[in-house]
Amino acid sequence: MGADGRRPDALLDQHEQALRLFGEYVRAVTDGQWDGPTPCTEWTVRELVGHVVGEQLWIPPLVTEGRTVEDVGDAFSGDLLGEDPAAAWDRAAAAAHAAFAAPGALDRTVHLSYGPSKGAAYCAELTADCVVHAWDLARGIGADDRLPDGLVEFSIKEVMPYADTLASSGAYAAPVEVPPGADAQTRLLALVGRAR
């Protein structure tokens, strides 16, 4: 068990599954869909994928190199996808997972924009974020948006403790009310301000 009670192998497995899921949707985007809308109302499909690629690119310098947000600065601003968004995703996802999977990485202190955090907590946060954005991307391209049950349950447990503060961060819409008996995916999406 890690210091936060998570089994490192289980957390890394969830992280890898979330990356794989998002990658499947990235590879499903057709040429005419990149400028289409997504449930993230300020982002097109391309901007959404660029955002998630950027999140992965931050991981190696913060986790492996021990750099701060200030150290990295605007290194990952601008177009991160280039001519081959799927290849850009694959490179970023592989580097991110390798950084978290390195010996001791999940126990390290990582210096994030909101303060210090354990590597395991950062990994869990980005895993849940990747799952939610996989749903956004699926909706944006009209793909099957049913998320794997295990990733949904993981993400609910991750998001629940801070769900009330997400909207105030400006990163998410306010939580949506769900009817009694709603399934797990509907509850997860509601926590992060999305309605099915």
Side-chain angles (χ1 to χ4, degrees), residues 24-26 28-30 33-34 37-38 45 136-143:
E24 288 169 4
Y25 288 127
V26 171
V29 180
T30 63
Q33 293 178 317
W34 288 105
T38 70
V45 167
D136 291 331
L137 183 53
R139 294 293 287 229
I141 64 172

Side-chain angles (χ1 to χ4, degrees), residues 110-143:
V110 183
H111 301 282
L112 304 175
S113 59
Y114 52 79
S117 178
K118 283 292 182 196
Y122 183 37
C123 181
E125 175 189 331
L126 288 188
T127 298
D129 189 74
C130 191
V131 170
V132 171
H133 284 319
W135 181 85
D136 291 331
L137 183 53
R139 294 293 287 229
I141 64 172

Side-chain angles (χ1 to χ4, degrees), residues 58 61-62 65-73 110-113:
W58 276 92
L62 297 180
E65 301 166 25
R67 296 169 70 188
T68 65
V69 171
E70 292 75 21
D71 292 337
V72 177
V110 183
H111 301 282
L112 304 175
S113 59

Side-chain angles (χ1 to χ4, degrees), residues 78-173:
D79 178 25
L80 301 174
L81 302 183
E83 295 297 314
D84 191 344
W89 167 256
D90 289 342
R91 284 190 302 272
H97 190 70
F100 279 134
L106 297 180
D107 292 321
R108 263 182 223 137
T109 297
V110 183
H111 301 282
L112 304 175
S113 59
Y114 52 79
S117 178
K118 283 292 182 196
Y122 183 37
C123 181
E125 175 189 331
L126 288 188
T127 298
D129 189 74
C130 191
V131 170
V132 171
H133 284 319
W135 181 85
D136 291 331
L137 183 53
R139 294 293 287 229
I141 64 172
D144 179 1
D145 64 6
R146 189 76 215 157
L147 301 170
D149 292 344
L151 287 175
V152 169
E153 292 295 344
F154 174 91
S155 300
I156 287 174
K157 288 178 188 166
E158 172 60 24
V159 172
M160 189 75 75
Y162 52 83
D164 291 342
T165 63
L166 288 175
S168 62
S169 74
Y172 292 91

